């Protein structure tokens, strides 16, 4: 790579395996922007990054020596014959086609004379400069030329004009814009056209030892004089010359072909022996003091309309270092990262824990010193000409913010972390720090922390043309700070923008962002669209060393980190020089709008790329190689691909070789889509390919239909077989049913007899209950009343012994009566089944009745029975069953308790009554408790407490439940749960 002031030159040769052969005979840029070249070993296509050769190794060509390329660029029709003149390479749609076709005659007969075809300059075929030649123009007209006469004819060989013109060298002729020029060695020229003949002179250009290069197909003519290359142009039949470059190696490089790509600003030079030279013209200018060593630059301040002054005192414009101010030499990095210019053009810098103000009125020879005990990090002048100084953290001091106004230094704030950058918007100072953003109100003198910024290390703050706040950070990209919220943006593919240094906006609303990996250009409009709609994409255009930098690493963490001068130059510091450029003169090499399928490799064999490709049914792997002409930084091209019907809608980015592969696909039709961002408007260029994978017979719809018919036939057959089987089975079933029916009739008859017997037994039970009620209950009641009457007799009352015996008799009689009563109730309950009472009754009163029965027995055992059931609680539970349950609960409690306490209480919840009886008697064993709990689930009786058996059986009948809690000598708690309403 050779680098000079205004261009870079890069040679591509066969020696470094970039070309197949070193002789470049012709260079043409086709309609789709590919560069096509002829060599002695095939046709070469260049897409800006790679060379693709078409020769006998990958085509059907038999001879691979080529010279000229002719045809029409506009019509996308270029042709080139090889040396045998029997094989034609036809170039269209970025592809080549080999045709076995003889070349047409290279001469025309006019007035009995042969005029040879002029193939351009230098000529590959002509050796005699005095032979007659013809030149066919793009409008179809033809010039016939010899050493005496110039005749212009139309496309049908009809003469338009004939001019006598003596000349001694046919190779001084060339055509530009349908006019014929003859350039003499002294710089004079003659012009011939339908308008007639005219003449002129190329001024200020020495023409001795000059060479002409005429590229007939592109219509370009070049003139070289002592390594200076000019392009000749026709302006109203006046010949002008424009200097393109002065390339020091031109005369020694054996150049025989030239083409200038004005759109991409590149000059292509083809050598007969040395290969291809591409000369680029970067529009970025890197300036430094010495070319002998690297120079690191940090803070620089706009000093005039076209210059900046660095923190070390260098005054620089876009060409060179023009002056300097003898500032003290910097030692620490912090002394190079700040500089400011106040309203009187005084310069503020820092050195060795001091801030210096160099006074303009003294010619910057005198200065004022402001000492501090910490190193200043940044210096900023606000709109009121106040100088703000942030001091850096050190081992003994916290970061601080000072203001210097009219020579008075005032402490304004103390921080925990460094403040690196300061900007002003209206009355607010934005203070960017290692851990977030602070806002200082100049009116209220109050400091506020910007919410949600505590986790970012801010390198700079930028206020754009619409007063939006942008933050660049260390390792986290850049943000828009809006409505107290940070809005992030996707970065470039390589994430170079994660460490964004500085943002400068030009008047076309493009942001220029410096990073450690080059300079990025992005549309502010695209960023704001993404801010509103996260689904939009952003195109970042990256510039690197090939665009004119001496190094890709720019510098940040300083203030100012960039400048926009009044002469429209933008200035950024870098690790080697300071970069100047005019954004309005930069024409970014944007990706194009055409994508091409260059090659298709099916199972390691090349197939012809088409819009619709039919693949083999059993293919193993197919690869697609995409070509994309682009002559800028390859990182600005991002090609993605997506195949439908394969279960993923994600776009996959193509690798550096621009290829994508697929393995076996099921039969069907697929659409493979390629896309690439084509510029700042975030539009995509698309290319679609239809892939057809044919189905085998067993995969076709006809096979499916046939199988469907066979399946339906099979189902119908099975259905008929099944139907016959069901009929036979039905017949057998009818016989079986007839037999079973006879048996069932006999069983039903037996059941009817049993039912009648059961009814008779129930009647007998009912009669028994009535008999007990009448024949047993009544005498017992009479007996009880008689005993009571005797007990109350005054004579008996006087005999204690007799009174005691009658009292016991009365109690026993009453208990016997109640036992019979409960037995009758128990029997009637099982006849009646579960039922709720029609009317509510008092549970307290029901319990009191049972307590009254056992009152004497309880007194005899010295037990106290307490009824804690609320008197106002009314229930509808089966009264007979509940009465028996309560009776037996009290009875069991008295039997198992002496000198104790028996309490009845209840709770209600969700229509469930829980009745508890608690005693402090001798208790129950765990075995007995488990028995009664199991008895509730499986009522198989053992010889334990018949009273509890009866209670459980009644609870089962009325769908209640029981829970027993007890322990030996720890008393017993029995819970009865029943519906009460």
């Amino acid at each position: 790579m050779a680098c000079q002031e205004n261009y870079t030159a890069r040679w591509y040769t066969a020696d470094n395996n970039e070309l197949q052969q070193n002789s470049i005979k012709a260079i043409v840029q086709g309609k789709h922007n590919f560069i096509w070249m002829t060599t002695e070993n095939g046709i070469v296509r260049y897409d800006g990054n790679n060379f693709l050769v078409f020769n006998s190794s990958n085509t059907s060509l038999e001879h691979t020596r080529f010279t000229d390329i002719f045809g029409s660029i506009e019509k996308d029709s270029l042709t080139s014959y090889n040396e045998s003149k029997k094989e034609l390479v036809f170039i269209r749609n970025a592809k080549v086609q080999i045709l076995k076709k003889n070349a047409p005659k290279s001469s025309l007969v006019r007035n009995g004379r042969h005029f040879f075809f002029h193939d351009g300059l230098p000529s590959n075929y002509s050796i005699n400069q005095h032979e007659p030649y013809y030149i066919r123009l793009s409008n179809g007209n033809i010039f016939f030329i010899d050493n005496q006469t110039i005749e212009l004819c139309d496309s049908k060989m009809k003469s338009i004009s004939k001019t006598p013109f003596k000349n001694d060298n046919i190779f001084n002729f060339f055509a530009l814009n349908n006019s014929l020029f003859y350039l003499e060695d002294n710089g004079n020229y003659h012009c011939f056209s339908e308008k007639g003949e005219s003449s002129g002179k190329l001024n200020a250009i020495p023409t001795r030892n000059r060479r002409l290069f005429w590229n007939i197909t592109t219509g370009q003519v070049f003139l070289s004089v002592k390594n200076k290359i000019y392009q000749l142009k026709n302006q109203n039949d006046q010949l002008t010359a424009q200097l393109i470059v002065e390339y020091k190696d031109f005369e020694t490089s054996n150049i025989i072909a030239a083409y200038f790509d004005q759109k991409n600003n590149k000059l292509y030079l083809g050598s007969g022996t040395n290969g291809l030279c591409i000369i680029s013209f970067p529009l970025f200018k890197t300036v430094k003091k010495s070319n002998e060593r690297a120079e690191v630059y940090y803070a620089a301040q706009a000093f005039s309309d076209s210059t900046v002054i660095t923190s070390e005192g260098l005054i620089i414009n876009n060409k060179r270092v023009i002056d300097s101010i003898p500032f003290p030499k910097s030692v620490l990095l912090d002394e190079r990262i700040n500089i400011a210019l106040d309203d009187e053009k005084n310069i503020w810098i820092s050195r060795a824990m001091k801030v210096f103000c160099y006074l303009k009125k003294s010619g910057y020879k005198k200065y004022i010193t402001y000492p501090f005990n910490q190193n200043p990090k940044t210096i900023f002048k606000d709109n009121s000409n106040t100088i703000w100084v942030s001091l850096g953290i050190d081992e003994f001091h916290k970061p601080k913010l000072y203001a210097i106004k009219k020579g008075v230094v005032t402490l304004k704030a103390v921080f925990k972390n460094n403040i690196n950058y300061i900007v002003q918007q209206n009355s607010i100072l934005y203070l960017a720090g290692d851990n977030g953003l602070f806002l200082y109100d100049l009116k209220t003198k109050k400091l506020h922390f910007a919410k949600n910024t505590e986790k970012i290390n801010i390198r700079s703050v930028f206020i754009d043309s619409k007063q939006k706040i942008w933050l660049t950070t260390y390792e986290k990209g850049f943000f828009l700070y809006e409505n107290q919220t940070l809005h992030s943006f996707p970065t470039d593919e390589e994430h170079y923008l994660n460490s964004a240094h500085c943002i400068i906006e030009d008047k076309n609303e493009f942001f220029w962002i410096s990073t450690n990996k080059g300079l990025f250009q992005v549309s502010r409009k695209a960023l704001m669209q993404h801010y509103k709609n996260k689904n939009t994409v952003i195109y970042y255009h990256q510039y690197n060393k090939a665009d004119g930098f001496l190094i890709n690493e720019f510098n940040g963490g300083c203030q100012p980190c960039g400048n926009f001068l009044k002469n429209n130059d933008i200035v950024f510091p870098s690790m080697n020089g300071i970069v100047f450029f005019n954004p309005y003169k930069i024409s970014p090499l944007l990706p194009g709008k055409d994508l091409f399928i260059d090659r298709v490799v099916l199972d390691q064999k090349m197939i012809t790329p088409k819009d619709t490709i039919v693949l083999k049914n059993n293919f193993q792997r197919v690869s697609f190689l995409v070509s994309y002409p682009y002559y800028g930084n390859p990182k600005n091209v991002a090609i993605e691909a997506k195949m439908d019907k394969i279960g993923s809608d994600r776009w996959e980015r193509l690798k550096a070789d621009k290829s994508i592969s697929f393995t076996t696909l099921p039969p069907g039709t697929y659409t493979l889509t390629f896309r690439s961002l084509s510029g700042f408007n975030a539009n995509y260029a698309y290319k679609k390919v239809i892939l057809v994978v044919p189905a085998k017979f067993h995969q076709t719809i006809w096979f499916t239909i046939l199988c469907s018919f066979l399946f339906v036939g099979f189902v119908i057959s099975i259905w008929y077989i099944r139907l016959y089987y069901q009929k036979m089975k039905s017949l057998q079933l009818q016989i079986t049913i007839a037999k079973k029916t006879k048996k069932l009739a006999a069983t039903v008859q037996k059941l009817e007899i049993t039912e009648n017997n059961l009814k008779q037994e129930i009647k007998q039970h009912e009669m028994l209950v009535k008999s007990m009620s009448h024949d047993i209950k009544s005498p017992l009641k009479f007996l009880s009343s008689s005993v009571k009457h005797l007990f109350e007799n005054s004579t008996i009352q006087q005999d204690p012994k007799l009174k005691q015996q009658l009292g016991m008799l009365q109690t026993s009689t009453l208990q016997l009566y109640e036992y019979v009563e409960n037995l009758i109730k128990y029997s009637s309950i099982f006849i009646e089944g579960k039922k709720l009472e029609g009317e509510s009754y008092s549970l307290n009163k029901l319990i009191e009745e049972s307590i009254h029965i056992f009152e004497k027995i309880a007194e005899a055992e010295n037990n106290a029975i307490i009824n804690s059931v609320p008197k106002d609680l009314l229930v509808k539970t089966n009264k007979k069953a509940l009465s028996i349950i309560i009776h037996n609960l009290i009875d069991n409690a008295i039997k198992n308790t002496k000198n104790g306490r028996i309490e009845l209480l209840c709770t209600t919840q969700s229509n469930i009554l829980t009745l508890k009886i608690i005693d402090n008697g001798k208790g129950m064993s765990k075995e007995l408790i488990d028995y009664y709990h199991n008895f509730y689930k499986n009522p198989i009786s053992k010889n334990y407490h018949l009273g509890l058996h009866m209670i459980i059986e009644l609870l089962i009948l009325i769908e209640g439940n029981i829970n027993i809690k007890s322990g030996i000598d720890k008393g017993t708690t029995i819970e009865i749960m029943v519906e009460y309403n």
Side-chain angles (χ1 to χ4, degrees), residues 289 427 441 547 592 889-890:
K289 188 175 181 180
S427 64
D441 194 320
D547 298 294
L889 287 174
I890 296 172

Side-chain angles (χ1 to χ4, degrees), residues 232-250:
L232 302 183
K233 293 187 178 181
N234 177 3
Q235 297 180 348
N236 297 321
D237 287 347
Q238 292 183 357
L239 193 64
T240 62
Q242 180 180 349
L243 179 65
I244 298 176
V245 68
E246 183 176 1
Y247 178 41
K248 65 176 183 177
D249 296 327
F250 185 85

Side-chain angles (χ1 to χ4, degrees), residues 536-792:
T536 60
V537 295
I538 302 172
Y539 173 76
Y540 296 102
H541 190 83
Q542 182 186 8
Y543 300 91
N544 59 16
K545 286 179 64 176
D547 298 294
F549 313 145
L550 297 181
I551 193 170
N552 285 331
E553 185 174 352
F554 286 80
N555 271 330
C558 54
Q559 184 166 6
C561 58
N563 292 275
F564 195 178
L565 304 181
K566 290 184 179 180
N567 71 341
N568 290 328
D569 274 349
I570 292 177
V571 186
F572 285 115
S574 80
M575 290 295 289
N576 189 12
I578 191 161
V579 176
F580 286 77
F581 65 95
N582 186 327
Y584 313 121
K585 293 182 180 179
I586 299 293
S587 297
L589 300 182
L590 298 176
K593 297 182 179 180
D594 293 326
L595 284 166
F596 300 91
I597 306 300
D598 208 24
R599 284 173 288 170
V600 181
V601 181
L602 180 62
D603 293 339
Q604 300 181 348
K605 292 182 180 179
M606 298 281 293
I607 63 174
T608 303
K610 297 178 182 178
D611 291 338
T612 300
I613 299 175
V614 180
L615 304 174
K616 296 185 296 183
N617 178 274
N618 59 345
F619 81 93
Q620 297 298 314
R621 186 180 186 84
V622 61
S623 300
F624 298 85
L625 286 84
V626 179
S627 57
Y628 192 80
Y630 182 67
Y631 300 93
N633 183 355
K635 293 186 181 300
N636 291 326
V637 177
I639 303 176
E640 299 173 307
K642 182 175 70 172
M643 175 88 85
D644 66 349
K645 299 182 182 179
I646 61 173
S648 175
D649 288 332
R650 290 180 62 253
W651 288 93
E652 179 181 347
R653 181 155 183 171
L654 270 60
K655 300 175 183 177
D657 61 356
K658 299 187 183 72
S659 69
I660 189 170
S661 300
F662 300 94
T663 52
T664 53
L665 294 171
T669 301
Y670 302 86
T671 301
L672 174 60
T673 306
F674 297 89
R675 73 176 186 183
S676 175
L677 272 176
S678 58
F680 294 108
N681 56 8
N683 290 331
Y684 282 100
Y686 288 92
K687 175 66 177 178
K688 292 187 177 181
V689 180
I690 306 299
L691 302 180
V692 179
V693 180
K696 292 183 178 179
F697 175 70
H698 67 272
Q699 297 171 322
T700 62
I701 186 64
W702 296 110
F703 180 78
T704 304
I705 293 172
L706 177 61
C707 289
S708 299
F709 277 117
L710 292 174
F711 178 74
V712 170
F714 176 74
V715 170
I716 292 173
S717 300
I718 293 296
W719 182 77
Y720 273 111
I721 294 171
R722 181 69 176 172
L723 183 61
Y724 175 77
Y725 173 76
Q726 290 294 335
K727 286 181 178 179
M728 296 303 295
K729 193 171 182 181
S730 176
L731 186 60
Q732 293 178 354
L733 186 60
Q734 289 176 7
I735 296 171
T736 303
I737 289 172
K739 293 179 181 179
K740 296 289 184 180
T741 301
K742 289 181 180 180
K743 292 182 179 180
L744 186 59
T747 303
V748 169
Q749 188 176 4
K750 292 179 180 179
L751 288 174
E752 287 176 350
I753 294 171
T754 303
E755 183 183 9
N756 290 332
N757 292 336
L758 287 173
K759 287 179 179 179
Q760 186 64 34
E761 287 181 9
I762 290 171
K763 286 181 180 179
Q764 290 174 357
H765 281 297
E766 290 177 352
M767 291 299 295
L768 178 61
V769 170
K770 288 178 182 179
S771 174
M772 289 174 64
S773 176
H774 183 267
D775 298 339
I776 299 175
K777 184 180 172 183
S778 295
L780 281 174
K781 189 173 184 181
F782 175 76
L783 179 61
S784 177
S785 298
S786 299
V787 172
K788 182 180 179 182
H789 180 72
L790 285 173
F791 180 77
E792 292 172 354

Side-chain angles (χ1 to χ4, degrees), residues 341-346 381-385:
L341 197 70
D342 65 21
D343 291 347
E344 289 78 35
K345 303 300 181 183
N346 301 319
K381 180 201 75 72
D382 70 10
N383 296 339
S384 67
N385 205 32

